[in-house]
């Protein structure tokens, strides 16, 4: 049975439909939904995977009241039809009657548009249509989801400006930060074993390495600064590992657990964001920007709009548009006044937290759910 929400909060289950895997990279969905799961049931439904056995939904309980749901479908299945049936049975079997639908991908509307949730939320964290291998029908599905949604949240100001004219209720919630978690890097005095063998100075990056990463820039930087070691942490997806630049001073350490990240960052002299400037990065608002700053590292980035404003304009991040300028910015970052930079970063981040973002989002959802409750409807009669 559903657990009642904390006093003052509306009571509902939250059913999330996501193109991202819960166990892939810990980012915006995990930060937000893990907080919702402290006072209600949260079901995180991932994209289907295929096997040779009967179709089913595999449920994996996690912390608090969160469950990850992985659809495992028979090869050759009619995905939309099978998923509708599995989902309807799942909702009935788990007594998920009063719920909010939360979407990260519009593609799942194909097998969820018949549901009757108390509210529909579309949390737009990326411009998915600009990503490599995006489905041809994605924009059509997005228009459908805008028509279904009660609330649209965006992961940054660029996305907000892009979406605000497409829906009547769009709210900007930029990438936030768990300051305490990343500030732990300030007190770490031993770097992990696979990084310990890499001499300093170290310039590091963590995140998904994909078409948004300027791998040509990375190679040029390694050539321009052979005395600096570049540490790349994260999985490689949608691009071939054969295309990655290989130099003696570039080190690919693979993906790491979110809990380990402060230990790695503590061993860096500079943190970097070598993003390509293309359609896939036009609207991104990198979560790692405040995370790097909270960890006390100087940061160098390419000219991503949501990094230039506000971080670059506030003098918190070095912005560089060419390999030569990026290398020079790294030099400047290595020489800057760490104590003054950390003081200004601390002041800037003082009002930011995932707890506040969660609370603001939950308030907006509560207003809709409470307005639509049977009790509220009866009072209007």
């Amino acid at each position: 049975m559903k657990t009642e929400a904390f006093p003052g909060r509306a009571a509902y289950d939250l059913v999330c439909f996501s193109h991202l895997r819960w166990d892939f990279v810990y980012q915006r969905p995990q930060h937000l939904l893990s907080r919702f799961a402290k006072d209600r049931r949260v079901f995180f439904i991932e994209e289907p995977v295929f096997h040779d056995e009967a179709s089913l939904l595999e449920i994996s309980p996690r912390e608090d009241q969160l469950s990850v749901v992985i659809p495992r479908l028979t090869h050759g299945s009619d995905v939309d039809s099978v998923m509708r049936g599995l989902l309807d049975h799942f909702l009935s079997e788990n007594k998920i009657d009063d719920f909010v639908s939360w979407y990260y991908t519009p593609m799942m509307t194909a097998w969820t548009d018949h549901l009757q949730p108390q509210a529909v939320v579309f949390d737009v964290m990326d411009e998915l249509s600009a990503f490599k291998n995006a489905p041809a029908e994605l924009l059509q599905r997005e228009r459908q989801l805008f028509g279904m949604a009660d609330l649209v949240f965006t992961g940054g100001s660029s996305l907000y400006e892009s979406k605000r004219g497409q829906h009547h209720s769009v709210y900007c919630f930029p990438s936030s930060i768990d300051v305490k978690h990343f500030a732990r890097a300030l007190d770490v005095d031993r770097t992990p074993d696979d990084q310990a063998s890499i001499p300093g100075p170290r310039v590091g990056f963590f995140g998904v390495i994909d078409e948004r990463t300027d791998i040509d820039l990375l190679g040029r930087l390694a050539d321009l600064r052979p005395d600096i070691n570049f540490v790349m942490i994260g999985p490689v997806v949608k691009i071939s590992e054969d295309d990655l630049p290989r130099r003696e001073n570039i080190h690919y350490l693979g993906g790491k657990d979110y809990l380990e990240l402060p230990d790695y960052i503590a061993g860096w002299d500079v943190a970097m964001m070598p993003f390509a400037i293309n359609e896939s990065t036009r609207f991104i608002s990198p979560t790692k920007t405040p995370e790097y700053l909270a960890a006390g590292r100087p940061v160098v980035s390419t000219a991503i709009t949501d990094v230039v404003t506000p971080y670059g304009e506030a003098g918190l991040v070095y912005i560089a548009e060419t390999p030569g300028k990026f290398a020079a910015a790294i030099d400047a970052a290595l020489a800057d006044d760490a104590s003054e930079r950390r003081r200004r970063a601390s002041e800037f981040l003082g009002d930011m937290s995932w707890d506040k973002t969660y609370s603001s989002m939950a308030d907006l959802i509560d207003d809709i759910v409470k307005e639509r409750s049977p009790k509220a409807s009866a009072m209007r009669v």
Side-chain angles (χ1 to χ4, degrees):
M1 294 294 290
K2 176 176 60 182
T3 300
E4 290 299 314
F6 286 168
R9 287 282 177 213
Y12 58 85
D13 293 319
L14 192 152
V15 183
C16 176
F17 303 99
S18 175
H19 62 295
L20 300 167
R21 301 287 176 191
W22 185 266
D23 296 321
F24 180 50
V25 175
Y26 202 93
Q27 51 189 314
R28 182 182 178 95
Q30 288 84 350
H31 281 294
L32 293 171
L33 298 180
S34 63
R35 286 165 170 79
F36 275 99
K38 292 184 182 300
D39 64 353
R40 69 190 70 251
R41 293 191 300 178
V42 174
F43 301 94
F44 186 85
I45 301 179
E46 300 183 350
E47 289 185 327
V49 295
F50 298 89
H51 62 181
D52 293 326
E53 301 176 14
S55 296
L56 55 83
L57 296 183
E58 180 180 283
I59 306 171
S60 176
R62 301 302 171 87
E63 290 185 9
D64 297 316
Q65 300 178 75
L66 187 137
S67 295
V68 175
V69 182
I70 304 175
R72 298 192 181 277
L73 307 188
T74 307
H75 283 291
S77 297
D78 180 336
V79 174
D80 294 348
S81 176
V82 172
M83 281 303 305
R84 278 178 180 254
L86 287 174
L87 182 59
D88 288 347
H89 178 73
F90 172 76
L91 295 176
S92 175
E93 185 177 49
N94 289 278
K95 296 181 172 57
I96 305 172
D97 303 312
D98 300 324
F99 67 97
V100 168
S101 291
W102 180 296
Y103 289 85
Y104 279 108
T105 172
M107 295 305 296
M108 292 186 180
T109 58
W111 38 270
T112 60
D113 58 4
H114 67 293
L115 301 178
Q116 295 183 328
Q118 292 174 288
V120 175
V121 176
F122 183 15
D123 188 17
V124 188
M125 61 179 287
D126 288 303
E127 184 58 81
L128 296 178
S129 62
F131 280 24
K132 188 174 183 179
N133 303 324
E137 65 271 29
L138 193 146
L139 286 176
Q140 176 185 347
R141 292 292 184 191
E142 182 176 87
R143 287 192 291 271
Q144 178 186 11
L145 183 50
F146 274 123
M148 295 165 54
D150 297 289
L151 295 167
V152 176
F153 302 147
T154 68
S157 57
S158 295
L159 274 172
Y160 173 74
E161 293 301 328
S162 173
K163 305 301 182 185
R164 63 186 299 188
Q166 300 179 48
H167 193 271
H168 60 85
S169 190
V170 182
Y171 297 85
C172 182
F173 289 105
S175 298
S176 197
I177 172 69
D178 182 345
V179 171
K180 184 178 180 180
H181 177 70
F182 284 93
R184 187 166 61 80
L186 298 171
D187 298 320
V188 173
D189 56 9
R190 183 180 182 276
T191 196
D193 290 344
D194 58 348
Q195 185 169 267
S197 61
I198 302 171
R202 303 187 192 103
V203 175
F205 166 88
F206 71 73
V208 179
I209 302 170
D210 58 14
E211 78 271 22
R212 294 171 295 177
T213 309
D214 192 336
I215 56 177
D216 292 331
L217 170 61
L218 178 60
R220 290 286 304 280
L221 288 173
D223 293 336
L224 288 168
R225 292 294 184 272
D227 57 318
I228 293 176
N229 281 284
F230 295 88
V231 178
M232 301 292 289
I233 291 175
V236 178
V237 301
K238 293 193 289 185
I239 61 174
S240 172
E241 293 202 16
D242 294 337
D243 292 333
L244 297 177
R246 303 291 176 177
R247 308 286 194 277
E248 288 188 1
N249 61 332
I250 302 179
H251 310 269
Y252 300 98
L253 302 188
K256 304 298 177 184
D257 190 275
Y258 176 75
L259 297 176
E260 299 178 281
L261 293 178
D263 297 330
Y264 282 91
I265 301 171
W268 301 349
D269 298 281
V270 175
M272 68 174 178
M273 294 190 289
F275 287 114
I277 304 300
N278 57 31
E279 281 301 305
S280 67
T281 62
R282 182 180 174 189
F283 298 106
I284 64 172
S285 177
T287 306
K288 58 184 60 59
T289 314
E291 292 172 344
Y292 285 162
L293 293 173
R297 302 305 98 179
V299 184
V300 181
S301 175
T302 49
I304 297 300
T305 300
D306 283 10
V307 177
V308 174
T309 305
Y311 298 100
E313 293 175 353
L316 295 172
V317 173
Y318 292 89
I319 305 297
E321 299 178 353
T322 67
K325 290 181 179 179
F326 205 109
I330 290 174
D331 294 340
L334 287 168
D336 78 1
D337 183 341
S339 60
E340 173 61 17
R341 168 176 39 78
R342 289 173 181 174
R343 182 192 65 77
R344 291 189 294 110
S346 179
E347 288 182 357
F348 186 89
L349 300 175
D351 197 43
M352 295 173 61
S353 77
W354 284 114
D355 287 338
K356 290 183 179 180
T357 301
Y358 152 73
S359 182
S360 296
M361 289 178 167
D363 286 345
L364 291 168
I365 297 171
D366 282 355
D367 287 345
I368 293 173
V369 172
K370 290 177 179 178
E371 174 67 19
R372 293 176 179 174
S373 70
K375 182 178 180 180
S377 298
M379 290 177 65
R380 290 195 298 268
V381 174

